[in-house]
Amino acid sequence: AQSVTQPDIHITVSEGASLELRCNYSYGATPYLFWYVQSPGQGLQLLLKYFSGDTLVQGIKGFEAEFKRSQSSFNLRKPSVHWSDAAEYFCAVGALYGGSQGNLIFGKGTKLSVKP
Amino acid sequence: DVKVTQSSRYLVKRTGEKVFLECVQDMDHENMFWYRQDPGLGLRLIYFSYDVKMKEKGDIPEGYSVSREKKERFSLILESASTNQTSMYLCASSSPSGLNYGYTFGSGTRLTVV
């Protein structure tokens, strides 16, 4: 079955430090991959997506992610974190087969806290 | 700006009440989804719909039903609310090529059942 794993439940970084949030997926074919961000009390906002082409994709708010097929990973990065980046981040993969075909499968999320 | 609008941000209902959560999108999307979100459990799919009057069960449909009488509106119904249905509910929509463009989410409804 297709699945998404975000190994880190909660990460704390200092403002100005670099950030990397991990995402691993299990899938046989070239996946459709997404990162979403959820600010407290809000819905989810799309940060970036990948489904073909350049494996390094740029998103909004200064985020980027790199698709690595050999590692089945799609890690999210930001060179310098701002206090406003404190939120929960969700990785998702598009299901291309099975009962969920056409739907997104979400990881359980990583909560990011930012220290001043 | 395209939107998915959930009618209530916060709701408090009593055990046993019938509860309606409404979701409207203005993007002419075919696909609509209802999720619940709980700490540590992430997003869990309740129901989804690919077209008017069509519905499909997600991972946790028990205790819920849905209605899609118009393309833009997708309602989640708690037939008899229980305390274990206290949660954040998120609605989303997508075009049929949702895998290319992802989902657009509403702001969520935080439901408390007392």
Side-chain angles (χ1 to χ4, degrees):
Chain A
Q2 301 141 106
S3 65
V4 178
T5 302
Q6 294 180 246
D8 304 305
I9 296 172
H10 190 187
I11 284 181
T12 300
V13 300
S14 297
E15 190 168 17
S18 63
L19 171 70
E20 183 169 32
L21 301 182
R22 295 183 291 165
C23 173
N24 295 98
Y25 63 90
S26 68
Y27 200 65
T30 300
Y32 291 73
L33 294 162
F34 304 83
W35 274 101
Y36 285 84
V37 60
Q38 184 182 33
S39 299
Q42 300 296 317
L44 277 69
Q45 181 184 18
L46 181 66
L47 277 176
L48 48 78
K49 61 183 184 287
Y50 170 82
F51 52 89
S52 67
D54 192 346
T55 56
L56 183 64
V57 293
Q58 303 296 322
I60 62 171
K61 303 177 188 276
F63 284 92
E64 66 178 27
E66 187 171 13
F67 168 59
K68 293 186 177 180
R69 185 189 301 277
S70 61
Q71 298 177 18
S72 297
S73 70
F74 188 56
N75 293 349
L76 182 71
R77 301 195 295 246
K78 187 169 184 177
S80 177
V81 169
H82 188 262
W83 63 266
S84 60
D85 294 323
E88 191 156 18
Y89 292 80
F90 292 89
C91 182
V93 64
L96 290 180
Y97 57 84
S100 296
Q101 184 177 4
N103 293 349
L104 297 188
I105 299 169
F106 288 87
K108 287 187 165 44
T110 298
K111 185 174 181 180
L112 173 66
S113 297
V114 180
K115 290 190 300 186
Chain B
D1 196 16
V2 294
K3 277 190 176 177
V4 176
T5 302
Q6 294 185 232
S7 54
S8 304
R9 292 297 304 274
Y10 299 95
L11 275 179
V12 180
K13 297 292 182 181
R14 296 193 179 278
T15 301
E17 274 193 79
K18 190 169 186 176
V19 180
F20 293 85
L21 303 183
E22 305 288 346
C23 175
V24 177
Q25 51 94 3
D26 65 359
M27 296 166 283
D28 202 34
H29 281 170
E30 282 76 6
N31 305 338
M32 297 188 75
F33 307 84
W34 274 107
Y35 289 88
R36 67 175 281 177
Q37 182 181 18
D38 302 286
L41 298 179
L43 279 71
R44 292 182 291 169
L45 182 62
I46 305 172
Y47 268 97
F48 58 101
S49 169
Y50 289 143
D51 203 349
V52 175
K53 297 193 184 296
M54 293 183 66
K55 60 183 179 184
E56 299 285 343
K57 292 180 179 179
D59 300 318
I60 52 162
E62 296 78 18
Y64 303 94
S65 62
V66 290
S67 172
R68 192 159 181 209
E69 296 296 319
K70 293 185 177 181
K71 188 176 185 179
E72 67 270 19
R73 185 180 298 271
F74 192 36
S75 303
L76 180 69
I77 304 159
L78 286 67
E79 297 289 343
S80 177
S82 64
T83 55
N84 63 12
Q85 292 178 309
T86 291
S87 186
M88 170 74 107
Y89 290 86
L90 292 167
C91 177
S93 72
S94 76
S95 68
S97 54
L99 296 185
N100 288 342
Y101 301 104
Y103 294 176
T104 301
F105 281 85
S107 297
T109 295
R110 185 164 294 281
L111 173 68
T112 302
V113 182
V114 297

